Amino acid sequence: MTAEPAGIVVIGASLAGLRAAEALRHGSYDGPLTLVGAEPYRPYDRPPLSKHVLAGELRPEASRLPERTRLRARWRLGNAAVSLDRKARTLRLADGTELAYQKLLIATGAESRPWPAETGGGLAGIHTLRGRDDAASLRADLLAGPRRVLIVGGGLIGCEAASCLRDLGLPVTLVDPNPAPLARSLGTWVGGVIAARLRESGAVFRPGAQVLRFEGDAAGRVARARLADGGTVEADLVIAALGATRATGWLRGAGLTADPGGVTCDAACRVLDTDGVPCPDIYAAGDVARWPIRLYGDRLVSVEHWGNAVEQAAHAARNMLAAPDDQRAYVHLPAYWSSQFGINIKAVGLTEGADAVAVVQGTRASRRFLAVYGRAGRSIAAVSFDQARWLPAYAEAIEAGAAFPPILDATDQPRIETAAPGFPPARPSAEAAHG
Ligand SMILES: Cc1cc2nc3c(=O)[nH]c(=O)nc-3n(C[C@H](O)[C@H](O)[C@H](O)COP(=O)(O)OP(=O)(O)OC[C@H]3O[C@@H](n4cnc5c(N)ncnc54)[C@H](O)[C@@H]3O)c2cc1C
């Protein structure tokens, strides 16, 4: 056991961890504060990694987040937490040391889903993109001038990477099992706009395609992908953009409700034990947290968005300092942005279960539009492509549970165009709960 006095310990020294630490100090917490991080770096920002860092506009180390408060914290970086003993109120770190805590914030975020080793995952030239080191290693491989890059997965990160790589003039193929990129988050109807931009950029887009395995050359470098339809794609650099799982492996055996879909909290961000009882001294925030979202009928969700990490961290910190009878519920409307193929995408709300989508401003054909998603006559989400001026008004309407479409007199169209969003079938298991 270390001689350090117990106090508040934050596990995960990234966006949520940093923002929580700042909120604790702003909230007049004056006691010992420790931030534990698996990576050797002070907190840095991930969104630029798949945009400016890949494009070579920003060095990976220049993504560091500003520390806006004098934290007076002990930093235990490059030293992951490997287990939690709730009875003893201690954590074990990777270097074997134990750390005592009075209160704990879990902010361990998420990890890229790697390509499985059995089907070629160990080959050189296969990358994932989650952290600063990933971005640096991918950027170095890009500078070597690959003959063809294969991106597996047309989610936000796959699409942003494709956009950057086309700007760099690199030959790109993107494969995705769905009919359009971003189909899972925005539906095929809206995702079709990105499919068109992807193709116009000169990339090859193969919808409905599934990679079965990778094969390498004599030097152990990836050479091609074998697809489920019997075809092959030649590629000497691969970006596996397969989504993320929550970093909860270290909580195995701790008696908490945690799995690769997240660590489950109550509305006040207190982590639930395996009996479903909130732990008064353990909170969670950011990508790793799965909580009942009031706006969507208290469905359990975990969202991988920058804005949630910031807001939930501040909220959890507030509750950590508050009395047991003053625990406030976290109320949040999920929101994110993305930039790709010259389009500025902004989205609010959760699209899951949407049965209709309506363009309420602009047009899909012009690729400048604001679309609202509805479910059973209610507005549940909205997305804008280069048309965000009215998005806050739609966000308010969604928060208020307005009918679908919510604002009829804000449209610049003679009539509102409504379509089926075209979501792929839901994934099974815990992932279905992800926002
Ligand atoms: C490439 C990329 C682009 C993105 N772009 C956007 C965007 O455009 N818009 C948007 O809204 N969101 C975007 N996001 C999502 C956004 O960055 C995340 O929502 C945000 O980083 C979540 O912060 P977090 O602190 O909860 O988790 P993370 O940022 O994942 O940080 C968790 C930290 O915990 C550490 N950790 C994990 N396990 C342990 C352990 N056992 N012990 C100690 N430390 C541990 C990790 O190493 C990591 O440093 C992007 C994400 C990525 C990866």
Side-chain angles (χ1 to χ4, degrees):
M1 172 76 68
T2 63
E4 291 170 2
I8 296 184
V9 175
V10 176
I11 307 295
S14 183
L15 180 62
L18 173 63
R19 291 294 193 253
E22 289 173 344
L24 289 166
R25 289 302 188 211
H26 277 298
S28 306
Y29 174 66
D30 209 26
L33 177 62
T34 306
L35 280 98
V36 178
E39 296 175 85
Y41 310 117
R42 290 286 268 251
Y44 63 86
D45 215 12
R46 290 173 207 274
L49 300 181
S50 52
K51 306 171 183 76
H52 311 292
V53 173
L54 280 199
E57 297 157 2
L58 193 75
R59 286 173 294 111
E61 57 276 22
S63 58
R64 190 169 151 180
L65 281 163
E67 290 166 22
R68 301 171 305 180
T69 307
R70 215 170 66 78
L71 291 178
R72 290 172 284 119
R74 292 185 296 238
W75 295 85
R76 306 290 297 265
L77 299 177
N79 202 358
V82 292
S83 63
L84 167 64
D85 183 339
R86 286 193 299 131
K87 262 204 189 113
R89 289 197 181 196
T90 57
L91 295 149
R92 184 169 291 279
L93 304 188
D95 69 358
T97 53
E98 269 187 4
L99 203 57
Y101 66 87
Q102 273 166 347
K103 287 200 174 166
L104 189 68
L105 178 74
I106 297 173
T108 46
E111 297 161 341
S112 296
R113 206 182 284 269
W115 189 268
E118 317 81 71
T119 49
L123 292 165
I126 300 182
H127 295 263
T128 53
L129 182 53
R130 177 81 202 172
R132 203 174 119 171
D133 290 345
D134 300 333
S137 138
L138 176 52
R139 175 76 192 150
D141 249 11
L142 293 176
L143 286 175
R147 283 191 308 280
R148 176 155 290 274
V149 182
L150 172 61
I151 299 176
V152 187
L156 284 170
I157 290 177
C159 288
E160 288 179 358
S163 168
C164 271
L165 269 51
R166 285 307 302 138
D167 287 346
L168 295 172
L170 294 168
V172 170
T173 301
L174 189 146
V175 300
D176 191 277
N178 299 311
L182 307 183
R184 204 162 280 289
S185 53
L186 296 177
T188 304
W189 195 74
V190 170
V193 176
I194 295 298
R197 284 297 294 119
L198 188 58
R199 288 190 167 114
E200 284 161 16
S201 77
V204 176
F205 174 48
R206 309 254 323 238
Q210 215 162 357
V211 175
L212 288 184
R213 64 179 185 279
F214 290 108
E215 293 170 356
D217 61 15
R221 186 174 182 89
V222 66
R224 74 193 59 80
R226 294 262 173 216
L227 305 184
D229 65 4
T232 56
V233 178
E234 299 295 315
D236 52 348
L237 198 157
V238 170
I239 303 175
L242 309 172
T245 53
R246 276 41 182 187
T248 54
W250 65 283
L251 292 170
R252 207 167 292 120
L256 300 176
T257 308
D259 57 45
V263 53
T264 305
C265 308
D266 68 0
C269 308
R270 287 175 300 202
V271 171
L272 304 186
D273 68 15
T274 42
D275 293 324
V277 177
C279 303
D281 52 354
I282 307 181
Y283 291 71
D287 282 13
V288 75
R290 180 170 52 195
W291 85 102
I293 186 162
R294 184 181 282 180
L295 213 52
Y296 295 88
D298 288 331
R299 192 172 91 216
L300 283 177
V301 297
S302 59
V303 298
E304 290 175 79
H305 305 154
W306 198 94
N308 174 61
V310 169
E311 279 186 32
Q312 197 172 26
H315 193 90
R318 184 252 166 230
N319 281 352
M320 287 174 91
L321 301 181
D325 60 356
D326 181 27
Q327 296 290 303
R328 296 198 191 147
Y330 176 57
V331 179
H332 176 73
L333 177 68
Y336 68 87
W337 78 95
S338 171
S339 54
Q340 48 188 272
F341 306 106
I343 302 172
N344 189 357
I345 301 176
K346 289 188 176 174
V348 293
L350 298 179
T351 56
E352 199 179 313
D355 51 29
V357 56
V359 170
V360 292
Q361 285 188 355
T363 58
R364 191 167 161 269
S366 70
R367 293 159 190 181
R368 252 181 104 85
F369 63 87
L370 196 155
V372 180
Y373 294 81
R375 183 177 59 203
R378 295 262 147 231
S379 297
I380 57 167
V383 64
S384 66
F385 277 38
D386 282 338
Q387 184 96 10
R389 210 160 52 86
W390 275 78
L391 196 62
Y394 285 92
E396 273 177 27
I398 290 162
E399 280 181 305
F404 170 80
I407 302 173
L408 293 171
D409 58 355
T411 180
D412 53 7
Q413 304 300 295
R415 64 180 181 82
I416 291 176
E417 187 189 356
T418 303
F423 287 105
R427 285 191 193 129
S429 82
E431 288 161 62
H434 291 183

PDB file of all heavy atoms in Angstrom, residues 13 18-19 22 35 41-44 64-73 75 77:
ATOM      1  N   ALA A  13      -7.387   9.317 -17.532  1.00  0.00           N
ATOM      2  CA  ALA A  13      -6.911  10.711 -17.576  1.00  0.00           C
ATOM      3  C   ALA A  13      -7.090  11.261 -18.977  1.00  0.00           C
ATOM      4  O   ALA A  13      -6.127  11.560 -19.683  1.00  0.00           O
ATOM      5  CB  ALA A  13      -5.446  10.764 -17.136  1.00  0.00           C
ATOM      6  N   LEU A  18     -10.346  14.676 -16.916  1.00  0.00           N
ATOM      7  CA  LEU A  18      -9.839  16.036 -16.709  1.00  0.00           C
ATOM      8  C   LEU A  18     -10.967  16.985 -16.330  1.00  0.00           C
ATOM      9  O   LEU A  18     -10.849  17.776 -15.377  1.00  0.00           O
ATOM     10  CB  LEU A  18      -9.153  16.530 -17.990  1.00  0.00           C
ATOM     11  CG  LEU A  18      -8.721  18.000 -17.977  1.00  0.00           C
ATOM     12  CD1 LEU A  18      -7.674  18.265 -16.902  1.00  0.00           C
ATOM     13  CD2 LEU A  18      -8.190  18.427 -19.346  1.00  0.00           C
ATOM     14  N   ARG A  19     -12.065  16.909 -17.074  1.00  0.00           N
ATOM     15  CA  ARG A  19     -13.169  17.837 -16.794  1.00  0.00           C
ATOM     16  C   ARG A  19     -13.764  17.582 -15.396  1.00  0.00           C
ATOM     17  O   ARG A  19     -14.174  18.519 -14.708  1.00  0.00           O
ATOM     18  CB  ARG A  19     -14.246  17.710 -17.859  1.00  0.00           C
ATOM     19  CG  ARG A  19     -13.806  18.236 -19.203  1.00  0.00           C
ATOM     20  CD  ARG A  19     -13.579  19.761 -19.152  1.00  0.00           C
ATOM     21  NE  ARG A  19     -13.452  20.315 -20.473  1.00  0.00           N
ATOM     22  CZ  ARG A  19     -12.316  20.748 -21.007  1.00  0.00           C
ATOM     23  NH1 ARG A  19     -11.188  20.713 -20.303  1.00  0.00           N
ATOM     24  NH2 ARG A  19     -12.287  21.235 -22.232  1.00  0.00           N
ATOM     25  N   GLU A  22     -11.374  19.124 -12.874  1.00  0.00           N
ATOM     26  CA  GLU A  22     -11.549  20.582 -12.843  1.00  0.00           C
ATOM     27  C   GLU A  22     -12.812  20.962 -12.067  1.00  0.00           C
ATOM     28  O   GLU A  22     -12.797  21.891 -11.256  1.00  0.00           O
ATOM     29  CB  GLU A  22     -11.643  21.122 -14.278  1.00  0.00           C
ATOM     30  CG  GLU A  22     -10.312  21.069 -15.008  1.00  0.00           C
ATOM     31  CD  GLU A  22     -10.422  21.448 -16.490  1.00  0.00           C
ATOM     32  OE1 GLU A  22     -11.540  21.459 -17.043  1.00  0.00           O
ATOM     33  OE2 GLU A  22      -9.378  21.716 -17.086  1.00  0.00           O
ATOM     34  N   LEU A  35      -5.172  11.382 -10.512  1.00  0.00           N
ATOM     35  CA  LEU A  35      -5.650  10.946 -11.832  1.00  0.00           C
ATOM     36  C   LEU A  35      -4.759   9.804 -12.313  1.00  0.00           C
ATOM     37  O   LEU A  35      -3.528   9.957 -12.390  1.00  0.00           O
ATOM     38  CB  LEU A  35      -5.606  12.089 -12.844  1.00  0.00           C
ATOM     39  CG  LEU A  35      -6.786  13.059 -12.748  1.00  0.00           C
ATOM     40  CD1 LEU A  35      -6.396  14.285 -11.958  1.00  0.00           C
ATOM     41  CD2 LEU A  35      -7.262  13.456 -14.132  1.00  0.00           C
ATOM     42  N   TYR A  41       0.366  10.005 -21.431  1.00  0.00           N
ATOM     43  CA  TYR A  41       0.211  11.431 -21.755  1.00  0.00           C
ATOM     44  C   TYR A  41      -0.765  12.144 -20.838  1.00  0.00           C
ATOM     45  O   TYR A  41      -1.710  11.536 -20.330  1.00  0.00           O
ATOM     46  CB  TYR A  41      -0.289  11.575 -23.203  1.00  0.00           C
ATOM     47  CG  TYR A  41       0.511  10.780 -24.191  1.00  0.00           C
ATOM     48  CD1 TYR A  41      -0.070   9.747 -24.919  1.00  0.00           C
ATOM     49  CD2 TYR A  41       1.871  11.043 -24.362  1.00  0.00           C
ATOM     50  CE1 TYR A  41       0.679   8.990 -25.808  1.00  0.00           C
ATOM     51  CE2 TYR A  41       2.624  10.287 -25.258  1.00  0.00           C
ATOM     52  CZ  TYR A  41       2.020   9.256 -25.973  1.00  0.00           C
ATOM     53  OH  TYR A  41       2.755   8.510 -26.844  1.00  0.00           O
ATOM     54  N   ARG A  42      -0.547  13.463 -20.666  1.00  0.00           N
ATOM     55  CA  ARG A  42      -1.559  14.303 -20.039  1.00  0.00           C
ATOM     56  C   ARG A  42      -2.765  14.302 -20.980  1.00  0.00           C
ATOM     57  O   ARG A  42      -2.638  14.009 -22.179  1.00  0.00           O
ATOM     58  CB  ARG A  42      -1.028  15.731 -19.861  1.00  0.00           C
ATOM     59  CG  ARG A  42       0.074  15.832 -18.807  1.00  0.00           C
ATOM     60  CD  ARG A  42      -0.488  15.706 -17.405  1.00  0.00           C
ATOM     61  NE  ARG A  42      -0.812  16.997 -16.848  1.00  0.00           N
ATOM     62  CZ  ARG A  42      -0.144  17.601 -15.856  1.00  0.00           C
ATOM     63  NH1 ARG A  42       0.907  17.011 -15.292  1.00  0.00           N
ATOM     64  NH2 ARG A  42      -0.534  18.766 -15.406  1.00  0.00           N
ATOM     65  N   PRO A  43      -3.967  14.626 -20.474  1.00  0.00           N
ATOM     66  CA  PRO A  43      -5.183  14.512 -21.297  1.00  0.00           C
ATOM     67  C   PRO A  43      -5.076  15.237 -22.640  1.00  0.00           C
ATOM     68  O   PRO A  43      -4.578  16.365 -22.704  1.00  0.00           O
ATOM     69  CB  PRO A  43      -6.254  15.159 -20.407  1.00  0.00           C
ATOM     70  CG  PRO A  43      -5.745  14.967 -19.016  1.00  0.00           C
ATOM     71  CD  PRO A  43      -4.257  15.079 -19.103  1.00  0.00           C
ATOM     72  N   TYR A  44      -5.512  14.554 -23.673  1.00  0.00           N
ATOM     73  CA  TYR A  44      -5.506  15.150 -25.010  1.00  0.00           C
ATOM     74  C   TYR A  44      -6.859  14.895 -25.670  1.00  0.00           C
ATOM     75  O   TYR A  44      -7.670  14.105 -25.190  1.00  0.00           O
ATOM     76  CB  TYR A  44      -4.351  14.600 -25.855  1.00  0.00           C
ATOM     77  CG  TYR A  44      -4.437  13.115 -26.115  1.00  0.00           C
ATOM     78  CD1 TYR A  44      -5.167  12.612 -27.180  1.00  0.00           C
ATOM     79  CD2 TYR A  44      -3.805  12.208 -25.268  1.00  0.00           C
ATOM     80  CE1 TYR A  44      -5.262  11.259 -27.415  1.00  0.00           C
ATOM     81  CE2 TYR A  44      -3.899  10.847 -25.486  1.00  0.00           C
ATOM     82  CZ  TYR A  44      -4.631  10.372 -26.557  1.00  0.00           C
ATOM     83  OH  TYR A  44      -4.738   9.018 -26.774  1.00  0.00           O
ATOM     84  N   ARG A  64      -3.038  18.109 -27.154  1.00  0.00           N
ATOM     85  CA  ARG A  64      -3.226  18.140 -25.697  1.00  0.00           C
ATOM     86  C   ARG A  64      -4.355  19.096 -25.304  1.00  0.00           C
ATOM     87  O   ARG A  64      -4.499  20.175 -25.865  1.00  0.00           O
ATOM     88  CB  ARG A  64      -1.913  18.583 -25.031  1.00  0.00           C
ATOM     89  CG  ARG A  64      -1.964  18.408 -23.542  1.00  0.00           C
ATOM     90  CD  ARG A  64      -0.616  18.589 -22.899  1.00  0.00           C
ATOM     91  NE  ARG A  64      -0.829  19.094 -21.556  1.00  0.00           N
ATOM     92  CZ  ARG A  64       0.107  19.372 -20.696  1.00  0.00           C
ATOM     93  NH1 ARG A  64       1.369  19.197 -21.044  1.00  0.00           N
ATOM     94  NH2 ARG A  64      -0.177  19.824 -19.500  1.00  0.00           N
ATOM     95  N   LEU A  65      -5.155  18.657 -24.335  1.00  0.00           N
ATOM     96  CA  LEU A  65      -6.272  19.492 -23.880  1.00  0.00           C
ATOM     97  C   LEU A  65      -5.770  20.576 -22.934  1.00  0.00           C
ATOM     98  O   LEU A  65      -4.892  20.320 -22.100  1.00  0.00           O
ATOM     99  CB  LEU A  65      -7.292  18.630 -23.133  1.00  0.00           C
ATOM    100  CG  LEU A  65      -8.234  17.792 -23.987  1.00  0.00           C
ATOM    101  CD1 LEU A  65      -8.879  16.694 -23.151  1.00  0.00           C
ATOM    102  CD2 LEU A  65      -9.312  18.657 -24.631  1.00  0.00           C
ATOM    103  N   PRO A  66      -6.341  21.765 -23.009  1.00  0.00           N
ATOM    104  CA  PRO A  66      -5.950  22.796 -22.048  1.00  0.00           C
ATOM    105  C   PRO A  66      -6.404  22.403 -20.648  1.00  0.00           C
ATOM    106  O   PRO A  66      -7.510  21.882 -20.482  1.00  0.00           O
ATOM    107  CB  PRO A  66      -6.701  24.038 -22.540  1.00  0.00           C
ATOM    108  CG  PRO A  66      -7.776  23.543 -23.426  1.00  0.00           C
ATOM    109  CD  PRO A  66      -7.348  22.215 -23.961  1.00  0.00           C
ATOM    110  N   GLU A  67      -5.539  22.596 -19.668  1.00  0.00           N
ATOM    111  CA  GLU A  67      -5.930  22.364 -18.267  1.00  0.00           C
ATOM    112  C   GLU A  67      -6.264  23.737 -17.704  1.00  0.00           C
ATOM    113  O   GLU A  67      -5.386  24.568 -17.495  1.00  0.00           O
ATOM    114  CB  GLU A  67      -4.789  21.662 -17.517  1.00  0.00           C
ATOM    115  CG  GLU A  67      -4.653  20.227 -18.003  1.00  0.00           C
ATOM    116  CD  GLU A  67      -3.355  19.541 -17.577  1.00  0.00           C
ATOM    117  OE1 GLU A  67      -2.740  19.968 -16.584  1.00  0.00           O
ATOM    118  OE2 GLU A  67      -2.964  18.576 -18.264  1.00  0.00           O
ATOM    119  N   ARG A  68      -7.569  23.958 -17.496  1.00  0.00           N
ATOM    120  CA  ARG A  68      -8.036  25.320 -17.244  1.00  0.00           C
ATOM    121  C   ARG A  68      -8.007  25.718 -15.775  1.00  0.00           C
ATOM    122  O   ARG A  68      -8.304  26.838 -15.422  1.00  0.00           O
ATOM    123  CB  ARG A  68      -9.456  25.481 -17.795  1.00  0.00           C
ATOM    124  CG  ARG A  68      -9.522  25.187 -19.300  1.00  0.00           C
ATOM    125  CD  ARG A  68     -10.938  25.130 -19.788  1.00  0.00           C
ATOM    126  NE  ARG A  68     -11.729  24.172 -19.018  1.00  0.00           N
ATOM    127  CZ  ARG A  68     -13.004  23.916 -19.236  1.00  0.00           C
ATOM    128  NH1 ARG A  68     -13.644  24.550 -20.183  1.00  0.00           N
ATOM    129  NH2 ARG A  68     -13.654  23.020 -18.517  1.00  0.00           N
ATOM    130  N   THR A  69      -7.679  24.747 -14.916  1.00  0.00           N
ATOM    131  CA  THR A  69      -7.683  25.012 -13.474  1.00  0.00           C
ATOM    132  C   THR A  69      -6.387  24.444 -12.913  1.00  0.00           C
ATOM    133  O   THR A  69      -5.891  23.438 -13.424  1.00  0.00           O
ATOM    134  CB  THR A  69      -8.860  24.253 -12.817  1.00  0.00           C
ATOM    135  OG1 THR A  69     -10.045  24.597 -13.514  1.00  0.00           O
ATOM    136  CG2 THR A  69      -9.008  24.578 -11.351  1.00  0.00           C
ATOM    137  N   ARG A  70      -5.858  25.059 -11.874  1.00  0.00           N
ATOM    138  CA  ARG A  70      -4.691  24.451 -11.212  1.00  0.00           C
ATOM    139  C   ARG A  70      -5.211  23.263 -10.395  1.00  0.00           C
ATOM    140  O   ARG A  70      -5.920  23.449  -9.402  1.00  0.00           O
ATOM    141  CB  ARG A  70      -4.003  25.480 -10.312  1.00  0.00           C
ATOM    142  CG  ARG A  70      -2.490  25.294 -10.284  1.00  0.00           C
ATOM    143  CD  ARG A  70      -1.813  26.456  -9.606  1.00  0.00           C
ATOM    144  NE  ARG A  70      -2.138  26.548  -8.177  1.00  0.00           N
ATOM    145  CZ  ARG A  70      -1.593  25.779  -7.242  1.00  0.00           C
ATOM    146  NH1 ARG A  70      -0.677  24.892  -7.547  1.00  0.00           N
ATOM    147  NH2 ARG A  70      -1.949  25.917  -5.985  1.00  0.00           N
ATOM    148  N   LEU A  71      -4.915  22.072 -10.878  1.00  0.00           N
ATOM    149  CA  LEU A  71      -5.577  20.889 -10.324  1.00  0.00           C
ATOM    150  C   LEU A  71      -4.971  20.413  -9.007  1.00  0.00           C
ATOM    151  O   LEU A  71      -5.627  19.736  -8.239  1.00  0.00           O
ATOM    152  CB  LEU A  71      -5.537  19.737 -11.330  1.00  0.00           C
ATOM    153  CG  LEU A  71      -6.391  19.919 -12.582  1.00  0.00           C
ATOM    154  CD1 LEU A  71      -6.223  18.732 -13.499  1.00  0.00           C
ATOM    155  CD2 LEU A  71      -7.862  20.096 -12.209  1.00  0.00           C
ATOM    156  N   ARG A  72      -3.721  20.719  -8.785  1.00  0.00           N
ATOM    157  CA  ARG A  72      -3.004  20.216  -7.595  1.00  0.00           C
ATOM    158  C   ARG A  72      -3.273  18.702  -7.464  1.00  0.00           C
ATOM    159  O   ARG A  72      -3.652  18.208  -6.418  1.00  0.00           O
ATOM    160  CB  ARG A  72      -3.450  20.973  -6.333  1.00  0.00           C
ATOM    161  CG  ARG A  72      -2.965  22.417  -6.325  1.00  0.00           C
ATOM    162  CD  ARG A  72      -3.551  23.221  -5.187  1.00  0.00           C
ATOM    163  NE  ARG A  72      -4.933  23.581  -5.453  1.00  0.00           N
ATOM    164  CZ  ARG A  72      -5.970  23.219  -4.716  1.00  0.00           C
ATOM    165  NH1 ARG A  72      -5.789  22.467  -3.657  1.00  0.00           N
ATOM    166  NH2 ARG A  72      -7.182  23.599  -5.030  1.00  0.00           N
ATOM    167  N   ALA A  73      -3.080  18.002  -8.577  1.00  0.00           N
ATOM    168  CA  ALA A  73      -3.376  16.559  -8.618  1.00  0.00           C
ATOM    169  C   ALA A  73      -2.090  15.755  -8.676  1.00  0.00           C
ATOM    170  O   ALA A  73      -1.058  16.238  -9.132  1.00  0.00           O
ATOM    171  CB  ALA A  73      -4.235  16.250  -9.837  1.00  0.00           C
ATOM    172  N   TRP A  75      -0.513  12.763 -10.625  1.00  0.00           N
ATOM    173  CA  TRP A  75      -0.761  12.084 -11.894  1.00  0.00           C
ATOM    174  C   TRP A  75      -0.057  10.735 -11.854  1.00  0.00           C
ATOM    175  O   TRP A  75       1.136  10.667 -11.593  1.00  0.00           O
ATOM    176  CB  TRP A  75      -0.230  12.911 -13.063  1.00  0.00           C
ATOM    177  CG  TRP A  75      -0.938  14.214 -13.250  1.00  0.00           C
ATOM    178  CD1 TRP A  75      -0.656  15.382 -12.610  1.00  0.00           C
ATOM    179  CD2 TRP A  75      -2.039  14.481 -14.121  1.00  0.00           C
ATOM    180  NE1 TRP A  75      -1.513  16.376 -13.037  1.00  0.00           N
ATOM    181  CE2 TRP A  75      -2.375  15.849 -13.976  1.00  0.00           C
ATOM    182  CE3 TRP A  75      -2.775  13.706 -15.022  1.00  0.00           C
ATOM    183  CZ2 TRP A  75      -3.415  16.450 -14.685  1.00  0.00           C
ATOM    184  CZ3 TRP A  75      -3.805  14.308 -15.727  1.00  0.00           C
ATOM    185  CH2 TRP A  75      -4.128  15.656 -15.560  1.00  0.00           C
ATOM    186  N   LEU A  77       0.444   8.355 -14.561  1.00  0.00           N
ATOM    187  CA  LEU A  77       0.247   8.121 -16.004  1.00  0.00           C
ATOM    188  C   LEU A  77       1.048   6.914 -16.478  1.00  0.00           C
ATOM    189  O   LEU A  77       2.062   6.545 -15.868  1.00  0.00           O
ATOM    190  CB  LEU A  77       0.631   9.377 -16.788  1.00  0.00           C
ATOM    191  CG  LEU A  77      -0.193  10.621 -16.452  1.00  0.00           C
ATOM    192  CD1 LEU A  77       0.301  11.839 -17.225  1.00  0.00           C
ATOM    193  CD2 LEU A  77      -1.675  10.387 -16.713  1.00  0.00           C
TER     194      LEU A  77
END
